[in-house]
Amino acid sequence: PWAYYSRWVITVSSNIITVFFVGLAIHDLKGMKKIMNAFFLIIGITAIVGIMQYLGIEQAHLIRAYLFKGEIYAHQGRIIGLAREAIEYSYTLLMGFAMLLGFFLSRKDEITTKKVQLYIFSLTIGLTLLLNGTRSAIGGIVIMILFYAFFYKNILGVDTISLRKVTILSGVILLLVLMTLGFLLISGKEFVLSPQQILLADPSAMGRIPRIKLALNTFFHNPLGVGGIWNYKTVFLSHLGDIGHLVSVAQQSFSSHNHILSAFLYYGILGGVIFIIFMVKAFNCLIANFHKTTNIYLKSIFLGGSLWLVAYSVNISFHNAGPLGGDNLFWFLVGIFSASINISRQLKEDENSTC
């Protein structure tokens, strides 16, 4: 297992370097705006490419084929935009939607051109996410919006949420559903998810139960962790007798499909607890800096980041990819938050020196 621990240390170290590089590379608010504009532009382009793919436009597939020369896994025929595969695509769209929503909600209630643009852009990303059909990401968005509506009044303060904003959020969900239905009706396409999949009665959803049972069984026998996914495969072979007729299912797809559970399974109780503490601390840090900063742009980043962490935590609870492996964009955004905190402190120091 030490080889797997060493590989994990290298992976985490590279992620930390990413955070420091992004955090130190962005020195001021002007630079932050340039990076965020480029970030949203890239997500917007990949979203449009995904919609074109859903419509069956061949050029949209050729663009991606040019970027990825080799044969890349495409999950169940779903749209993948410019990503390597469908699940990775949903992670990117989820990130973009949550951050855009943060910018939208941090604005004042009056309608402005900028706010209308943010609303349209958010709806476009949301539509693409629905067409992508990754249920955990869609569920993460819904839970994120509900979390904001019911809990953010106490977290952020009375002045930061209003009945109008809650109504607008409800309108976002309803409009996304209507847009998706209208899009499918006009294009003559079928929705990527069948009624069985929507009701979580398909083999993929039902197959999560034995995977989780297998992971828990292995964790209880190895509370200090097994060291990595391939070492996990070796270790759980000694516990297959405990899951009886589920052996064949486990052998076909043995990963837990739950990043949080995998943190405990691979790196033990200590690693899992540290991971959860990190996620909670990150959320609290974003909320604290939302209160501290007076700059509306930075407030938007902190609010969008906190919303994203809520939706992201739901999403990774149903997939293997996450901060500890397979999701490098997570650490890029952490770098953005780090730079935003530094810029916020600089602005506060400038105000104090001016006074």
Side-chain angles (χ1 to χ4, degrees):
W2 292 109
Y4 295 98
Y5 278 112
S6 300
R7 187 182 302 173
W8 178 79
V9 169
I10 293 172
T11 300
V12 172
S13 298
S14 65
N15 292 331
I16 293 174
I17 292 173
T18 300
V19 174
F20 275 101
F21 177 79
V22 175
L24 295 175
I26 306 174
H27 303 289
D28 52 26
L29 192 59
K30 185 178 180 180
M32 176 61 72
K33 289 182 178 180
K34 288 182 179 179
I35 293 296
M36 291 305 296
N37 287 340
F39 171 73
F40 288 133
L41 177 63
I42 293 171
I43 292 181
I45 291 173
T46 191
I48 293 173
V49 170
I51 292 175
M52 292 171 64
Q53 289 173 348
Y54 202 94
L55 291 172
I57 299 175
E58 184 179 358
Q59 286 75 8
H61 294 284
L62 293 177
I63 293 172
R64 179 183 167 278
Y66 178 79
L67 294 175
F68 298 99
K69 301 296 185 181
E71 182 179 352
I72 307 297
Y73 171 65
H75 186 56
Q76 297 178 351
R78 297 179 185 175
I79 59 173
I80 49 183
L82 299 178
R84 289 178 298 179
E85 48 96 10
I87 302 301
E88 182 183 273
Y89 190 39
S90 71
Y91 275 58
T92 305
L93 294 172
L94 174 67
M95 180 184 295
F97 184 84
M99 293 301 294
L100 282 168
L101 204 59
F103 276 82
F104 176 79
L105 293 170
S106 62
R107 308 278 169 170
K108 295 181 179 179
D109 280 345
E110 58 262 21
I111 298 176
T112 62
T113 303
K114 188 72 172 179
K115 198 163 187 177
V116 172
Q117 291 174 346
L118 286 170
Y119 196 70
I120 294 173
F121 200 10
S122 300
L123 288 173
T124 302
I125 302 297
L127 171 64
T128 312
L129 184 58
L130 287 174
L131 295 177
N132 170 261
T134 301
R135 291 169 292 185
S136 56
I138 296 171
I141 290 295
V142 173
I143 291 175
M144 175 192 75
I145 292 175
L146 293 175
F147 188 83
Y148 178 88
F150 289 102
F151 296 103
Y152 266 53
K153 182 175 181 179
N154 295 327
I155 295 174
L156 298 180
V158 177
D159 295 334
T160 58
I161 188 169
S162 64
L163 179 61
R164 184 175 180 178
K165 284 185 177 178
V166 174
T167 303
I168 291 174
L169 283 172
S170 303
V172 169
I173 297 177
L174 179 61
L175 192 54
L176 278 175
V177 173
L178 293 177
M179 282 178 62
T180 304
L181 293 175
F183 180 88
L184 296 174
L185 183 64
I186 294 173
S187 64
K189 302 286 185 179
E190 294 183 356
F191 189 45
V192 66
L193 296 178
S194 66
Q196 188 181 27
Q197 289 174 314
I198 295 174
L199 296 174
L200 305 179
D202 60 297
S204 176
M206 300 299 293
R208 304 298 171 97
I209 299 174
R211 293 169 187 163
I212 291 176
K213 184 176 180 180
L214 176 65
L216 288 173
N217 189 306
T218 306
F219 170 70
F220 291 144
H221 285 81
N222 302 270
L224 297 181
V226 298
I229 186 169
W230 297 111
N231 203 44
Y232 167 48
K233 184 177 182 180
T234 302
V235 172
F236 82 67
L237 290 173
S238 61
H239 306 307
L240 287 179
D242 297 331
I243 58 175
H245 66 286
L246 302 176
V247 171
S248 59
V249 177
Q251 288 176 326
Q252 292 173 6
S253 184
F254 58 87
S255 58
S256 67
H257 282 257
N258 185 318
H259 190 77
I260 299 174
L261 175 58
S262 295
F264 284 89
L265 177 62
Y266 299 159
Y267 311 116
I269 295 176
L270 181 60
V273 170
I274 290 175
F275 175 65
I276 291 178
I277 291 175
F278 169 78
M279 295 294 283
V280 173
K281 285 285 187 180
F283 179 83
N284 290 338
C285 180
L286 290 170
I287 295 299
N289 282 279
F290 175 88
H291 287 293
K292 290 178 182 178
T293 187
T294 56
N295 184 276
I296 188 65
Y297 195 88
L298 295 178
K299 275 185 177 290
S300 301
I301 291 178
F302 294 135
L303 176 58
S306 64
L307 290 171
W308 167 67
L309 279 179
V310 173
Y312 185 80
S313 297
V314 175
N315 192 30
I316 63 174
S317 297
F318 297 91
H319 295 291
N320 296 316
L324 301 181
D327 186 16
N328 297 324
L329 269 178
F330 175 91
W331 297 103
F332 166 79
L333 214 51
V334 171
I336 292 293
F337 301 148
S338 176
S340 299
I341 293 172
N342 291 334
I343 294 171
S344 178
R345 290 172 179 171
Q346 291 173 9
L347 293 175
K348 193 171 183 179
E349 289 175 1
D350 292 341
E351 290 176 0
N352 293 335
S353 62
T354 303
C355 296

mmCIF file of all heavy atoms in Angstrom, residues 191-213:
data_model
loop_
_atom_site.group_PDB
_atom_site.id
_atom_site.type_symbol
_atom_site.label_atom_id
_atom_site.label_comp_id
_atom_site.label_asym_id
_atom_site.label_seq_id
_atom_site.Cartn_x
_atom_site.Cartn_y
_atom_site.Cartn_z
ATOM 1 N N PHE A 191 -35.342 12.697 -24.591
ATOM 2 C CA PHE A 191 -34.503 13.019 -23.437
ATOM 3 C C PHE A 191 -33.564 11.853 -23.167
ATOM 4 O O PHE A 191 -33.932 10.695 -23.313
ATOM 5 C CB PHE A 191 -35.371 13.306 -22.213
ATOM 6 C CG PHE A 191 -34.609 13.862 -21.048
ATOM 7 C CD1 PHE A 191 -33.676 14.873 -21.228
ATOM 8 C CD2 PHE A 191 -34.799 13.380 -19.761
ATOM 9 C CE1 PHE A 191 -32.956 15.398 -20.159
ATOM 10 C CE2 PHE A 191 -34.094 13.902 -18.685
ATOM 11 C CZ PHE A 191 -33.176 14.910 -18.893
ATOM 12 N N VAL A 192 -32.328 12.172 -22.786
ATOM 13 C CA VAL A 192 -31.303 11.143 -22.622
ATOM 14 C C VAL A 192 -31.652 10.168 -21.499
ATOM 15 O O VAL A 192 -31.238 9.006 -21.513
ATOM 16 C CB VAL A 192 -29.930 11.804 -22.351
ATOM 17 C CG1 VAL A 192 -29.911 12.526 -21.017
ATOM 18 C CG2 VAL A 192 -28.807 10.769 -22.438
ATOM 19 N N LEU A 193 -32.435 10.630 -20.505
ATOM 20 C CA LEU A 193 -32.816 9.773 -19.389
ATOM 21 C C LEU A 193 -34.206 9.191 -19.611
ATOM 22 O O LEU A 193 -35.148 9.915 -19.924
ATOM 23 C CB LEU A 193 -32.806 10.562 -18.075
ATOM 24 C CG LEU A 193 -31.443 11.110 -17.618
ATOM 25 C CD1 LEU A 193 -31.609 11.908 -16.338
ATOM 26 C CD2 LEU A 193 -30.450 9.976 -17.401
ATOM 27 N N SER A 194 -34.330 7.879 -19.423
ATOM 28 C CA SER A 194 -35.627 7.227 -19.520
ATOM 29 C C SER A 194 -36.396 7.422 -18.219
ATOM 30 O O SER A 194 -35.804 7.781 -17.192
ATOM 31 C CB SER A 194 -35.430 5.728 -19.778
ATOM 32 O OG SER A 194 -34.807 5.117 -18.644
ATOM 33 N N PRO A 195 -37.727 7.212 -18.229
ATOM 34 C CA PRO A 195 -38.496 7.315 -16.975
ATOM 35 C C PRO A 195 -37.939 6.421 -15.873
ATOM 36 O O PRO A 195 -37.946 6.787 -14.696
ATOM 37 C CB PRO A 195 -39.905 6.877 -17.399
ATOM 38 C CG PRO A 195 -39.980 7.230 -18.850
ATOM 39 C CD PRO A 195 -38.602 6.974 -19.387
ATOM 40 N N GLN A 196 -37.447 5.252 -16.251
ATOM 41 C CA GLN A 196 -36.857 4.333 -15.278
ATOM 42 C C GLN A 196 -35.623 4.939 -14.625
ATOM 43 O O GLN A 196 -35.412 4.823 -13.418
ATOM 44 C CB GLN A 196 -36.503 3.014 -15.967
ATOM 45 C CG GLN A 196 -36.056 1.909 -15.000
ATOM 46 C CD GLN A 196 -35.681 0.632 -15.724
ATOM 47 O OE1 GLN A 196 -35.267 0.674 -16.881
ATOM 48 N NE2 GLN A 196 -35.821 -0.499 -15.057
ATOM 49 N N GLN A 197 -34.809 5.628 -15.425
ATOM 50 C CA GLN A 197 -33.607 6.265 -14.900
ATOM 51 C C GLN A 197 -33.951 7.459 -14.020
ATOM 52 O O GLN A 197 -33.309 7.699 -12.997
ATOM 53 C CB GLN A 197 -32.703 6.698 -16.044
ATOM 54 C CG GLN A 197 -32.029 5.545 -16.776
ATOM 55 C CD GLN A 197 -31.260 6.005 -17.989
ATOM 56 O OE1 GLN A 197 -31.742 6.798 -18.791
ATOM 57 N NE2 GLN A 197 -30.039 5.505 -18.134
ATOM 58 N N ILE A 198 -34.957 8.214 -14.404
ATOM 59 C CA ILE A 198 -35.380 9.369 -13.614
ATOM 60 C C ILE A 198 -35.879 8.929 -12.242
ATOM 61 O O ILE A 198 -35.637 9.586 -11.225
ATOM 62 C CB ILE A 198 -36.479 10.162 -14.358
ATOM 63 C CG1 ILE A 198 -35.897 10.774 -15.647
ATOM 64 C CG2 ILE A 198 -37.061 11.263 -13.468
ATOM 65 C CD1 ILE A 198 -36.925 11.459 -16.515
ATOM 66 N N LEU A 199 -36.550 7.773 -12.195
ATOM 67 C CA LEU A 199 -37.081 7.238 -10.938
ATOM 68 C C LEU A 199 -36.043 6.405 -10.175
ATOM 69 O O LEU A 199 -36.372 5.803 -9.149
ATOM 70 C CB LEU A 199 -38.326 6.386 -11.226
ATOM 71 C CG LEU A 199 -39.530 7.136 -11.819
ATOM 72 C CD1 LEU A 199 -40.629 6.165 -12.197
ATOM 73 C CD2 LEU A 199 -40.049 8.179 -10.831
ATOM 74 N N LEU A 200 -34.801 6.379 -10.681
ATOM 75 C CA LEU A 200 -33.693 5.649 -10.043
ATOM 76 C C LEU A 200 -33.979 4.155 -9.917
ATOM 77 O O LEU A 200 -33.570 3.507 -8.951
ATOM 78 C CB LEU A 200 -33.400 6.239 -8.644
ATOM 79 C CG LEU A 200 -33.110 7.742 -8.589
ATOM 80 C CD1 LEU A 200 -32.860 8.178 -7.152
ATOM 81 C CD2 LEU A 200 -31.914 8.092 -9.474
ATOM 82 N N ALA A 201 -34.672 3.631 -10.909
ATOM 83 C CA ALA A 201 -35.001 2.204 -10.884
ATOM 84 C C ALA A 201 -34.206 1.423 -11.926
ATOM 85 O O ALA A 201 -34.515 0.265 -12.198
ATOM 86 C CB ALA A 201 -36.501 2.020 -11.134
ATOM 87 N N ASP A 202 -33.191 2.035 -12.502
ATOM 88 C CA ASP A 202 -32.383 1.385 -13.530
ATOM 89 C C ASP A 202 -31.243 0.599 -12.892
ATOM 90 O O ASP A 202 -30.914 0.816 -11.715
ATOM 91 C CB ASP A 202 -31.826 2.440 -14.495
ATOM 92 C CG ASP A 202 -30.958 3.450 -13.780
ATOM 93 O OD1 ASP A 202 -31.493 4.163 -12.911
ATOM 94 O OD2 ASP A 202 -29.755 3.512 -14.050
ATOM 95 N N PRO A 203 -30.597 -0.286 -13.625
ATOM 96 C CA PRO A 203 -29.492 -1.085 -13.060
ATOM 97 C C PRO A 203 -28.344 -0.247 -12.513
ATOM 98 O O PRO A 203 -27.719 -0.629 -11.530
ATOM 99 C CB PRO A 203 -29.039 -1.930 -14.267
ATOM 100 C CG PRO A 203 -30.249 -2.026 -15.140
ATOM 101 C CD PRO A 203 -30.952 -0.718 -14.995
ATOM 102 N N SER A 204 -28.048 0.889 -13.152
ATOM 103 C CA SER A 204 -26.945 1.725 -12.688
ATOM 104 C C SER A 204 -27.206 2.254 -11.284
ATOM 105 O O SER A 204 -26.314 2.235 -10.432
ATOM 106 C CB SER A 204 -26.735 2.906 -13.650
ATOM 107 O OG SER A 204 -25.724 3.767 -13.172
ATOM 108 N N ALA A 205 -28.430 2.726 -11.056
ATOM 109 C CA ALA A 205 -28.768 3.262 -9.735
ATOM 110 C C ALA A 205 -28.850 2.149 -8.697
ATOM 111 O O ALA A 205 -28.321 2.274 -7.582
ATOM 112 C CB ALA A 205 -30.094 4.022 -9.803
ATOM 113 N N MET A 206 -29.520 1.053 -9.057
ATOM 114 C CA MET A 206 -29.669 -0.055 -8.123
ATOM 115 C C MET A 206 -28.331 -0.714 -7.817
ATOM 116 O O MET A 206 -28.122 -1.262 -6.730
ATOM 117 C CB MET A 206 -30.641 -1.093 -8.694
ATOM 118 C CG MET A 206 -32.050 -0.553 -8.963
ATOM 119 S SD MET A 206 -32.859 0.038 -7.458
ATOM 120 C CE MET A 206 -33.069 -1.501 -6.578
ATOM 121 N N GLY A 207 -27.399 -0.653 -8.788
ATOM 122 C CA GLY A 207 -26.099 -1.278 -8.587
ATOM 123 C C GLY A 207 -25.225 -0.556 -7.583
ATOM 124 O O GLY A 207 -24.196 -1.090 -7.155
ATOM 125 N N ARG A 208 -25.618 0.691 -7.203
ATOM 126 C CA ARG A 208 -24.818 1.427 -6.213
ATOM 127 C C ARG A 208 -24.898 0.776 -4.834
ATOM 128 O O ARG A 208 -23.977 0.898 -4.021
ATOM 129 C CB ARG A 208 -25.295 2.882 -6.104
ATOM 130 C CG ARG A 208 -25.287 3.650 -7.417
ATOM 131 C CD ARG A 208 -23.897 3.764 -7.995
ATOM 132 N NE ARG A 208 -23.888 4.308 -9.336
ATOM 133 C CZ ARG A 208 -23.665 5.580 -9.635
ATOM 134 N NH1 ARG A 208 -23.443 6.443 -8.667
ATOM 135 N NH2 ARG A 208 -23.661 5.987 -10.886
ATOM 136 N N ILE A 209 -26.002 0.107 -4.553
ATOM 137 C CA ILE A 209 -26.206 -0.486 -3.222
ATOM 138 C C ILE A 209 -25.151 -1.545 -2.909
ATOM 139 O O ILE A 209 -24.497 -1.475 -1.863
ATOM 140 C CB ILE A 209 -27.640 -1.049 -3.089
ATOM 141 C CG1 ILE A 209 -28.654 0.089 -3.253
ATOM 142 C CG2 ILE A 209 -27.816 -1.749 -1.744
ATOM 143 C CD1 ILE A 209 -30.099 -0.377 -3.276
ATOM 144 N N PRO A 210 -24.946 -2.544 -3.793
ATOM 145 C CA PRO A 210 -23.902 -3.535 -3.479
ATOM 146 C C PRO A 210 -22.499 -2.936 -3.463
ATOM 147 O O PRO A 210 -21.641 -3.401 -2.707
ATOM 148 C CB PRO A 210 -24.053 -4.581 -4.598
ATOM 149 C CG PRO A 210 -24.774 -3.885 -5.692
ATOM 150 C CD PRO A 210 -25.691 -2.925 -5.016
ATOM 151 N N ARG A 211 -22.251 -1.911 -4.276
ATOM 152 C CA ARG A 211 -20.936 -1.279 -4.273
ATOM 153 C C ARG A 211 -20.658 -0.611 -2.934
ATOM 154 O O ARG A 211 -19.556 -0.707 -2.394
ATOM 155 C CB ARG A 211 -20.859 -0.249 -5.404
ATOM 156 C CG ARG A 211 -20.910 -0.843 -6.796
ATOM 157 C CD ARG A 211 -21.090 0.233 -7.834
ATOM 158 N NE ARG A 211 -21.318 -0.323 -9.162
ATOM 159 C CZ ARG A 211 -21.818 0.359 -10.174
ATOM 160 N NH1 ARG A 211 -22.143 1.621 -10.017
ATOM 161 N NH2 ARG A 211 -22.008 -0.212 -11.341
ATOM 162 N N ILE A 212 -21.662 0.089 -2.423
ATOM 163 C CA ILE A 212 -21.501 0.758 -1.129
ATOM 164 C C ILE A 212 -21.366 -0.270 -0.012
ATOM 165 O O ILE A 212 -20.548 -0.126 0.906
ATOM 166 C CB ILE A 212 -22.692 1.697 -0.861
ATOM 167 C CG1 ILE A 212 -22.634 2.888 -1.833
ATOM 168 C CG2 ILE A 212 -22.684 2.196 0.579
ATOM 169 C CD1 ILE A 212 -23.805 3.829 -1.736
ATOM 170 N N LYS A 213 -22.158 -1.345 -0.110
ATOM 171 C CA LYS A 213 -22.087 -2.397 0.900
ATOM 172 C C LYS A 213 -20.710 -3.044 0.907
ATOM 173 O O LYS A 213 -20.127 -3.300 1.975
ATOM 174 C CB LYS A 213 -23.166 -3.445 0.626
ATOM 175 C CG LYS A 213 -23.224 -4.535 1.681
ATOM 176 C CD LYS A 213 -24.383 -5.479 1.406
ATOM 177 C CE LYS A 213 -24.426 -6.582 2.470
ATOM 178 N NZ LYS A 213 -25.556 -7.528 2.244
#
